Amino acid sequence: DAGITQSPRHKVTETGTPVTLRCHQTENHRYMYWYRQDPGHGLRLIHYSYGVKDTDKGEVSDGYSVSRSKTEDFLLTLESATSSQTSVYFCAISRGQGSNEKLFFGSGTQLSVL
Amino acid sequence: GQQVMQIPQYQHVQEGEDFTTYCNSSTTLSNIQWYKQRPGGHPVFLIQLVKSGEVKKQKRLTFQFGEAKKNSSLHITATQTTDVGTYFCAGYTGGADGLTFGKGTHLIIQP
């Protein structure tokens, strides 16, 4: 498996609290992504990064922010968590975004917002 | 925006039966990728199809890309319990959307 570490693996928090999820890679890949996975919705892109300090929104970015200060780290922040943000969050990486680039996924973070 | 529809959502089969999942895109794709996610696991890349009408095989798995590059299928022959999981297709148009995932097909195998 690709060198991708997500932390924490599990998180329970209360509505209105801030939460930060971390993705760390050892592959020196340029692109990093945050997805959420929910029953009936599959994988939906939240935000992605194409380099240090370069990020863009995905399909479901409302309520989330990201930062990438180093190539290896991509942080996802929920400024004020809501119950609708209860989900499994996956980080993914790829070398590029061209037509031949495949994604490598981390093991996921199960987030429960009570 | 680009949409990728995948059917069926769930498929129950007896062990040894065949299984097929289908993907359809609203737009022409540059390529399509397939991923497998075991229960409790993370998606893992299986294969990528690029050419119109392309067919690729991986042991009991056969992947097809339609002539118009708007649809694809994954067929598993003689399913085994190790095939259990969710199979996702993901289409790439080459635009800013990047990869768009289908909602996945959950394969449930009864021994």
Side-chain angles (χ1 to χ4, degrees), chain A residues 1 35 37 40-43 45 48 90 97-103 105-107, chain B residues 9 30-31 33 35 37 41-43 45 48 50 88 92 96 98-99 101-103:
Chain A
D1 284 346
Y35 287 88
Q37 185 174 33
H41 291 278
L43 291 157
L45 182 65
Y48 69 97
F90 285 102
Q97 206 179 34
S99 61
N100 290 318
E101 298 300 336
K102 58 187 178 185
L103 299 182
F105 285 85
S107 298
Chain B
Q9 186 175 358
S30 298
N31 67 45
Q33 299 178 2
Y35 292 78
Q37 183 178 21
H42 57 277
F45 175 84
Q48 176 174 274
V50 178
F88 292 96
Y92 182 72
L99 273 178
F101 281 83
K103 293 183 179 180

Side-chain angles (χ1 to χ4, degrees), chain B residues 51-68:
Chain B
K51 299 177 183 177
S52 170
E54 189 170 15
V55 178
K56 287 188 175 181
K57 292 189 176 184
Q58 289 180 350
K59 297 182 180 178
R60 296 177 293 103
L61 278 62
T62 301
F63 303 83
Q64 295 189 356
F65 201 10
E67 294 289 340

Side-chain angles (χ1 to χ4, degrees), chain A residues 12-87:
Chain A
V12 179
T13 192
E14 294 183 347
T15 299
T17 60
V19 176
T20 296
L21 308 183
R22 179 179 183 243
C23 179
H24 178 78
Q25 60 142 333
T26 58
E27 305 295 322
N28 200 34
H29 280 12
R30 180 182 175 191
Y31 281 78
M32 299 186 76
Y33 310 81
W34 278 106
Y35 287 88
R36 62 178 288 174
Q37 185 174 33
D38 305 288
H41 291 278
L43 291 157
R44 293 182 292 175
L45 182 65
I46 305 171
H47 281 280
Y48 69 97
S49 169
Y50 47 96
V52 173
K53 294 186 176 13
D54 293 322
T55 64
D56 207 348
K57 296 179 179 179
E59 176 189 359
V60 289
S61 60
D62 287 349
Y64 302 95
S65 63
V66 291
S67 66
R68 191 166 178 201
S69 59
K70 297 185 291 184
T71 298
E72 56 266 35
D73 289 325
F74 193 33
L75 304 180
L76 176 70
T77 297
L78 292 64
E79 300 290 347
S80 178
T82 67
S83 58
S84 65
Q85 294 176 311
T86 292
S87 186

Side-chain angles (χ1 to χ4, degrees), chain B residues 24-37:
Chain B
N24 285 287
S25 170
S26 57
T27 58
T28 301
L29 300 170
S30 298
N31 67 45
I32 194 158
Q33 299 178 2
W34 286 91
Y35 292 78
K36 176 184 178 181
Q37 183 178 21

